[in-house]
Amino acid sequence: QKEVEQNSGPLSVPEGAIASLNCTYSDRGSQSFFWYRQYSGKSPELIMSIYSNGDKEDGRFTAQLNKASQYVSLLIRDSQPSDSATYLCAVKKGGKLIFGQGTELSVKP
Amino acid sequence: GAVVSQHPSWVICKSGTSVKIECRSLDFQATTMFWYRQFPKQSLMLMATSNEGSKATYEQGVEKDKFLINHASLTLSTLTVTSAHPEDSSFYICSASGVGDTEAFFGQGTRLTVV
């Protein structure tokens, strides 16, 4: 089992729709969770961090964490073509930052 | 977010030579730095984690004698690819994290091509 798992996609949504990205992790002791966005040929940029169960909202982005289910998700409301990128879920475990394989999102105008 | 600067952004070197990549945290003290490698269409693979003043911890399968990591100060870490070969060609990215279990911010990445 991979430490951090994501559906590789691609996930295609129409402009203005909600995009839902999911991630599961294997280590129940993980405490910190992050979503990064990576455009092709660029390095990742941090979108959201979440540390406790529940929802955390920042603009059009909402991160959701459920530690009991070892599940973290990212919702993007009112998706825009500029949101088209690969979204990486990351988990901090034992001082290491481990990434999932990423989900490619395509927002169609 | 915090600023992490990585240089060079791209480099081409001859097989057998060494290449040094620098990663600097510009506006915070980076107690931990991570070095990743990313091949096309693949995710980030953690190569090593370094804490300031300590030896780096390498992931399984990563040759510590080939990928030399130095983290001598709270704002600078370097990765040296020694005796580079074409199979070392990749996108190398550093990430820095401050005190505590905080977010990690990425440098711009270095695209290494070994010819």
Side-chain angles (χ1 to χ4, degrees):
Chain A
Q1 182 187 10
K2 291 182 180 176
E3 294 180 273
V4 182
E5 290 204 64
Q6 297 178 250
N7 291 326
S8 59
L11 173 65
S12 183
V13 301
E15 183 175 357
I18 295 175
S20 178
L21 303 158
N22 305 314
C23 173
T24 57
Y25 58 95
S26 61
D27 188 345
R28 193 172 285 278
S30 301
Q31 294 295 320
S32 306
F33 308 88
F34 308 92
W35 282 99
Y36 288 82
R37 176 174 62 197
Q38 185 177 27
Y39 292 110
S40 181
K42 303 294 185 182
S43 67
E45 56 178 317
L46 181 67
I47 299 175
M48 296 278 286
S49 59
I50 187 165
Y51 303 98
S52 54
N53 279 328
D55 295 359
K56 180 181 178 183
E57 187 175 318
D58 184 359
R60 295 186 296 114
F61 298 98
T62 299
Q64 299 173 316
L65 174 62
N66 183 325
K67 290 187 178 180
S69 300
Q70 294 174 240
Y71 175 90
V72 58
S73 66
L74 179 71
L75 299 178
I76 306 175
R77 289 180 298 281
D78 188 25
S79 296
Q80 300 297 309
S82 57
D83 295 327
S84 297
T86 296
Y87 288 80
L88 300 163
C89 172
V91 175
K92 224 171 192 187
K93 181 194 100 167
K96 299 181 185 180
L97 188 61
I98 307 296
F99 283 83
Q101 67 269 43
T103 298
E104 185 182 346
L105 173 66
S106 176
V107 181
K108 304 293 187 185
Chain B
V3 179
V4 177
S5 178
Q6 184 175 342
H7 292 279
S9 56
W10 62 270
V11 58
I12 301 173
C13 70
K14 289 185 178 180
S15 188
T17 62
S18 296
V19 173
K20 180 185 280 189
I21 301 169
E22 288 190 351
C23 181
R24 293 181 184 272
S25 58
L26 299 186
D27 54 359
F28 69 103
Q29 293 185 325
T31 52
T32 305
M33 284 195 176
F34 307 95
W35 286 95
Y36 295 87
R37 181 167 53 183
Q38 187 176 37
F39 293 106
K41 299 292 186 183
Q42 294 186 24
S43 188
L44 283 75
M45 187 193 81
L46 180 64
M47 299 175 67
T49 302
S50 73
N51 293 297
E52 184 265 339
S54 303
K55 287 186 178 180
T57 301
Y58 289 81
E59 294 300 299
Q60 191 172 9
V62 178
E63 300 174 59
K64 62 181 181 181
D65 294 330
K66 181 172 180 62
F67 298 100
L68 302 178
I69 291 172
N70 183 283
H71 190 174
S73 79
L74 284 170
T75 59
L76 174 65
S77 177
T78 60
L79 166 67
T80 301
V81 183
T82 63
S83 187
H85 291 283
E87 57 266 31
D88 298 324
S89 298
S90 188
F91 191 45
Y92 291 85
I93 321 174
C94 73
S95 176
S97 180
V99 176
D101 214 6
T102 59
E103 297 98 339
F105 298 92
F106 281 83
Q108 303 93 316
T110 297
R111 192 160 303 280
L112 170 64
T113 302
V114 185
V115 297

